[in-house]
Structure formats: C-alpha cells, structure tokens
Amino acid sequence: MEIVSGYKLKTGKIGDAVAGAYKKVEDTFVDAFLEKSGDGKGIAGLKTGKAGDAAVSAYKAVEDTVVSGYKRVENAFIDAFLEKNDEQAAREQDPSRDEFCRKEE
C-alpha cells in the first residue's frame, strides 16, 4: 500500500495476513458478482443472472410500448394539425438547400 509517492506502508506479519484475507474476499466478490467488459480489460458491471435478465427484458418491453404509443400520438397530431410549408417540401426534395444539413467538403 503506497502512502506517499516512493514510500510503502510497513505491514508486518499481521498486516500481510489482513491484506491477504481482504484480497481473497475481494476476489471472491468480483468472481461472484461482477463481469468483465467485452474487451476483457475492465469490469463492465454486475452479473444479473436470470432475474436480472428478466427485469431488463420486461423494462425493454414497457419502454418499446411507451415509445411506440408516443410515436403514434405524435404522428396523429402532425397529420391532424400540421402541414408542410413550401420551404420544407423543397428541402425534402433537395436536401442540399438546407444550409444546416450541408456537409463541408
């Protein structure tokens, strides 16, 4: 354990035993509850298991339903209350007319 740059704490036999025991507990925890990232270099997150996977799937289904419903309401609103102006119609036919969407070459 480095305290000040270039110095190390003198742990002695008892300190080494405590540090070794702590390291074993830490390694056991990491193996049991954490998973490595896709590149294998870091820790990506908690292992979720079947219950976690089910919760993520349920959340995703609810999210998809809500987003889909919102899109239907939004599209209905647009169809009922909005119309394209001449400038917008021209931009859709010729995207280069839209100065904000032009790519610099």
Side-chain angles (χ1 to χ4, degrees):
M1 176 183 293
E2 192 170 299
I3 304 297
V4 178
S5 182
Y7 289 87
K8 187 176 175 182
L9 183 64
K10 296 178 186 178
T11 55
K13 289 182 183 179
I14 295 174
D16 288 341
V18 170
Y22 174 81
K23 182 67 175 153
K24 286 181 186 177
V25 169
E26 181 182 34
D27 291 344
T28 302
F29 175 85
V30 168
D31 291 341
F33 298 109
L34 301 177
E35 62 186 4
K36 296 241 182 220
S37 64
D39 60 10
K41 293 181 180 177
I43 295 174
L46 290 173
K47 292 180 183 176
T48 56
K50 290 181 182 179
D53 292 342
V56 169
S57 295
Y59 178 84
K60 180 71 173 139
V62 170
E63 180 184 40
D64 290 346
T65 302
V66 169
V67 169
S68 175
Y70 176 81
K71 285 181 181 178
R72 284 194 300 270
V73 169
E74 182 181 41
N75 288 337
F77 177 86
I78 289 170
D79 292 341
F81 299 108
L82 301 177
E83 62 183 25
K84 292 181 183 173
N85 60 26
D86 295 335
E87 181 73 22
Q88 180 65 26
R91 257 191 238 127
E92 287 180 1
Q93 289 181 357
D94 184 12
S96 65
R97 292 181 57 157
D98 189 357
E99 64 186 67
F100 296 111
C101 295
R102 267 190 231 151
K103 295 180 181 176
E104 294 185 25
E105 297 177 22

